[in-house]
Amino acid sequence: MRPNSPAPSRRQALGLGLAAGALSGFPAFAATGPSLASLARDKGLQFGSAVGAGPVGALTGSFEDRRYRQILAEECGLLVPENELKWYVVRAAGPASFAFERADRIAAFAKANGQALRGHTLLWHHPQWFPAWIKTHDFGAQPKLAAAALLTEHITTLCQRYPQMISWDVVNETVDPADGSVRNTVLSDILGREPTLDLAFHTARAAAPKARLVYNDYMSWEVGNEKHRYGVLKLLEGFRKRGTPVDALGVQAHIGAENADSFTGFGKPQEQEWRAFLDEATGMGYDLLVTEFDVHDKGLVYDFAPRDAAVAAYAKGYFDLMLSYRQTKEVLAWGMVDKYSWLQGQWPRQDGKAKRPTLYDDNYQPKPLREAVAAALKAAPAR
Ligand code: 9MR
């Protein structure tokens, strides 16, 4: 246990009912002071992370790692399954079945540790992320009725299975960053784009009346996100005009490298434009969530000390800004340990070495980024 731990009994529960002693032999954490969960709670926020129940050793398999689970138990008040609730996992076998085994394991762990859960995602409205069968699915003689039934059954089933979700990414990443338009999918080809999204939110509201309903996307503060931000604001405005029940904007916060092709460090974020964007969103009455935080260090030097320091400083500036909005209610890292970050599998560094995008290193030790997040939480105004 760390000193000053505010909730020793919960934080001793390491894993699925495992007693602390079962993990003896692991070094104690070097992080000192209160957990990120308790620092967040002190300010009326929740802090947590994504966790993946994929295969052992895979980037998507952090949940299989006991020491990763230990960090989750220590640091997080809130968990989100990284992939386990996506259509391509839950509906992999076809329209007639639902596969909840992987998500259920994460939900059981969260329950055993007294952690809240958030859901990602009821409708990743992007053609790439549906299971393959949907492309050739026969919607029959009344395709509108059939498409609406498929979507409402999916959303209702997931919401009812996990009534403990405090928030749901109802719609994920449907704005095309190239021009700000809403993407088309098999469902919107039949139902229309806005009607598809509206149906998703109305269905979620009915099936999960207490959950915060979120539109989640990766528009960010780096150069190159201008059309994406514009498109998201247009979408949010449309939701308000039509009375669509959307409570919050999920800001994914995959920050850092400006684009996949450059190796030139971080560049200068568009802070003023970013504030204007957040002002518009909150001005429409939306809450904000930081849903998938990590820092892409693709263009930074190899040496750990300057690299970690640059990542931490960049993130501190970002969190100071995000937390200055009292509308920011949840903060989630997209993974807690570098070796499980999705970024290891995307856009390699020029030196081909591993990236350092998360709060803990591959030896499960906290990095300067962890302290930057802690410092930002400590400095944040209460909400
Ligand atoms: O981290 C996730 C990775 O394991 C998956 O392979 C990928 C595709 O499903 O999705 C990653 O998570 C994404 C999230 O669901 C939505 N926002 C962007 C995230 C990073 O790509």
Side-chain angles (χ1 to χ4, degrees), residues 129-202:
W129 300 112
F130 282 95
W133 58 260
I134 209 165
K135 285 194 206 107
T136 52
H137 184 63
D138 180 6
F139 286 93
Q142 294 187 295
K144 276 190 196 269
L145 285 180
L150 181 68
L151 182 59
T152 53
E153 187 202 15
H154 181 84
I155 290 177
T156 305
T157 304
L158 268 69
C159 289
Q160 288 179 350
R161 184 162 188 104
Y162 303 105
Q164 69 271 49
M165 292 296 177
I166 62 161
S167 62
W168 270 108
D169 290 335
V170 178
V171 175
N172 187 54
E173 292 176 26
T174 199
V175 173
D176 186 344
D179 61 5
S181 66
V182 172
R183 293 180 193 280
N184 268 310
T185 65
V186 170
L187 294 177
S188 66
D189 286 345
I190 298 171
L191 294 168
R193 286 179 291 192
E194 280 76 14
T196 302
L197 309 181
D198 290 354
L199 178 62
F201 279 104
H202 283 290

Side-chain angles (χ1 to χ4, degrees), residues 216-292:
N216 189 51
D217 210 331
Y218 58 87
M219 70 284 129
S220 192
W221 70 349
E222 287 83 9
V223 172
N225 281 271
E226 295 81 356
K227 288 185 181 147
H228 200 174
R229 293 191 294 251
Y230 169 76
V232 168
L233 286 180
K234 232 174 32 178
L235 183 71
L236 294 178
E237 201 177 39
F239 287 145
R240 282 294 182 254
K241 279 198 188 128
R242 299 191 298 277
T244 312
V246 185
D247 302 313
L249 171 64
V251 175
Q252 292 186 4
H254 297 293
I255 62 172
E258 247 163 31
N259 73 66
D261 307 315
S262 93
F263 290 97
T264 52
F266 287 151
K268 192 170 154 36
Q270 296 180 324
E271 197 176 315
Q272 207 181 332
E273 290 88 337
W274 182 240
R275 281 183 195 278
F277 169 79
L278 297 175
D279 288 346
E280 289 242 15
T282 53
M284 288 186 252
Y286 293 102
D287 277 338
L288 301 172
L289 314 183
V290 173
T291 50
E292 305 183 11

Side-chain angles (χ1 to χ4, degrees), residues 60 82-83 86 88 120 124 129 173 252 292 334 342:
T60 55
E82 185 173 355
N83 296 308
K86 293 174 180 173
Y88 73 79
H120 173 82
W124 192 339
W129 300 112
E173 292 176 26
Q252 292 186 4
E292 305 183 11
W334 205 241
W342 69 289

Side-chain angles (χ1 to χ4, degrees), residues 75-86:
E75 292 277 44
C76 298
L78 174 62
L79 299 182
V80 58
E82 185 173 355
N83 296 308
E84 289 61 26
L85 294 169
K86 293 174 180 173

